[in-house]
Amino acid sequence: MSCGTGRMGRDTMLLRGVNISALTLLLCVPALHGSALPAVSSYEFTAYRMQQYNLAQQKHGCRGAIVVAEARSADEPLLTRRCVIMKAQDFTTDKYLRAQKQHAAAVLILLPQNISSVPLDTIKNFMLSEREALLEETLMPVYVVPEDEQLLCMYEEVKQAAAMHASSIFIRVLRSMVTATAFQILVSNNAPIKAITDNAVVTLEGVLPGIGEDVPTIVITAHYDSFGLVPWLSYGADSNGSGVTILLELARLFHKLYSSTHTRPPFHLMFSLTGGGKYNFLGTKRWIEENLDHAESSLLQDNVAFVLCLDTLANSDELYMHVSRPPKPGTPIHTFIQLLRRVISSRFPWVKVGLIHKKINLVDSSVSWEHERYSLRKIPGFTLSRLEDPRSEHRVSILDTLSQVDLRKLKRNGIVVAEALARYMYNLSDKKGSPKDLQVFKGQMEFHDSRMSSLMSVLTSVPRATQLLDKEPNHILLVDSLEHEFKHYLQQVYRHTFQQDKRDPDITFFDQMNQPVVMYRVKPAAFDLFLGGCIAAYLGIVYYAIQNFGYLYTKLKAAVKSKHQ
């Protein structure tokens, strides 16, 4: 009896040992699974698609919108059919072109919430890559989304997965099969991308009439729209919120001079805020055509002294005057430029000043600066800008935000323009005994720091991309507020709205610029294979133990007996 009882105990111990071993193997899988993020969790956010437009016959931007792909870091060696996740510092021309070459499913760029914290070299490299990406078209969808906690966690995990490639092959395979969490990026929209050809371009025009008859006209102009990789994140603080801010301050200050017959100069002073500046200055072109070809009477048809275009003036200690042909001595534009130089040398001698002559290529349908639109119609003009190169990356970036603006330099450049303009219009020069450091705008007539800061804040409160300004309520309101600002100081204000010719549009925009995106946390397919292998191994062990019970029992009995001896 005792012998039978002992045998049953040993049998029970054997089965228990087998079950414990198999159970331990099975329990390893949930433990490993529990170390990763939940497989069923998801996160929804809004991403903004890269520009898509046709300018004349040339196509620009990305042509795709749908994304169903697994997220991968830009450091991964294989990106084919993957959604490449990049932060601002990762977005370089080389990495972008590599994603294109490997036929990546999409690129998702995480944009910092606080641009002021981004290093200057990172901002410059991002802007350069942004400009290069916009030159050509791509079928690969490109999206930009502001960073948040969930997206940053996802970025760090795919970055760590890429770093595992430096480990041994066994560790990489084991980690991928057991602990890795994949992220599936989904942008789903059954509606095809459609062209938008009914965009309206608004130009605001205001005049301060001078004293006398048949007096010459000076035109001060700036384009107010912005441009960047994606329309919904294009705030255009320096380019060209700075030009608009200076123009509005000039309108305010000269309004005071024109309000009295004693201080009203013998010049008509015309101001214009034009749209479509980032698209070959389409609004300027249409406005000039309206005034020269269709209007019965216009100041542009009469005696125009010159046109001064303000473009990107909120940074740098350099100022450049861009002209289509060198101004001849004695002409109004030559005299004004000399006065501009004189004001700078007397009040701001550390500022570098340059005159850049660029001939207009009549074969090329595109222009570089706004004044070239006037030069093509034989109206003298020049552009004042802190930029030397019209192809500068600072004119086409979503990183051109208010944090990148130096309000002191913006004010300084506004003072330079105002003082030179006053000297020209009132014929104040050294020849007449006027002091070199003459200041017209001082005291109550000076530029207001708080006002310029407020204007810049309003202009950068919403994106000013051309395709949004007549579609979204907040953006329409911005144009209305600019018109309201004009009416405060200008005695004659006109609003010109130009509709696109649907048969042969100068520019064609496309919809689906902002899309809902869903990010799923999922286990890779390798994990399912691993889990299935573990279950099969467990069942195999149990089956083997049952089929070979006698053999296993004999071996175990012998082992126990030898241990007791």
Side-chain angles (χ1 to χ4, degrees), residues 443-457:
Q444 294 184 348
M445 289 285 292
E446 67 178 358
F447 280 73
H448 292 167
D449 293 338
S450 59
R451 177 176 160 77
M452 298 187 76
S453 176
S454 298
L455 285 172
M456 286 296 297
S457 297

Side-chain angles (χ1 to χ4, degrees), residues 176-207:
S176 174
M177 292 177 66
V178 182
T179 64
T181 299
F183 294 88
Q184 193 80 8
I185 306 298
L186 176 63
V187 181
S188 177
N189 193 336
N190 295 326
I193 298 174
K194 295 180 181 179
I196 303 172
T197 57
D198 60 345
N199 275 85
V201 180
V202 176
T203 296
L204 302 175
E205 167 196 337
V207 179

Side-chain angles (χ1 to χ4, degrees), residues 53-128:
Y53 66 95
N54 298 342
L55 188 59
Q57 301 301 319
Q58 191 169 2
K59 298 179 179 180
H60 298 267
C62 75
R63 305 279 139 184
I66 297 176
V67 182
V68 182
E70 192 175 320
R72 282 289 186 271
S73 169
D75 298 328
E76 292 274 5
L78 184 62
L79 303 176
T80 304
R81 295 190 297 276
R82 300 292 189 267
C83 179
V84 185
I85 310 299
M86 300 183 182
K87 292 180 74 172
Q89 60 265 33
D90 303 325
F91 184 61
T92 63
T93 302
D94 290 340
K95 290 184 178 180
Y96 175 75
L97 293 178
R98 187 169 76 89
Q100 272 192 318
K101 186 176 180 180
Q102 292 195 20
H103 303 288
V107 169
L108 180 64
I109 303 169
L110 308 184
L111 195 69
Q113 293 280 7
N114 184 12
I115 304 298
S116 60
S117 63
V118 181
L120 292 178
D121 57 340
T122 298
I123 290 178
K124 181 176 177 61
N125 291 335
F126 185 96
M127 288 180 170
L128 287 170

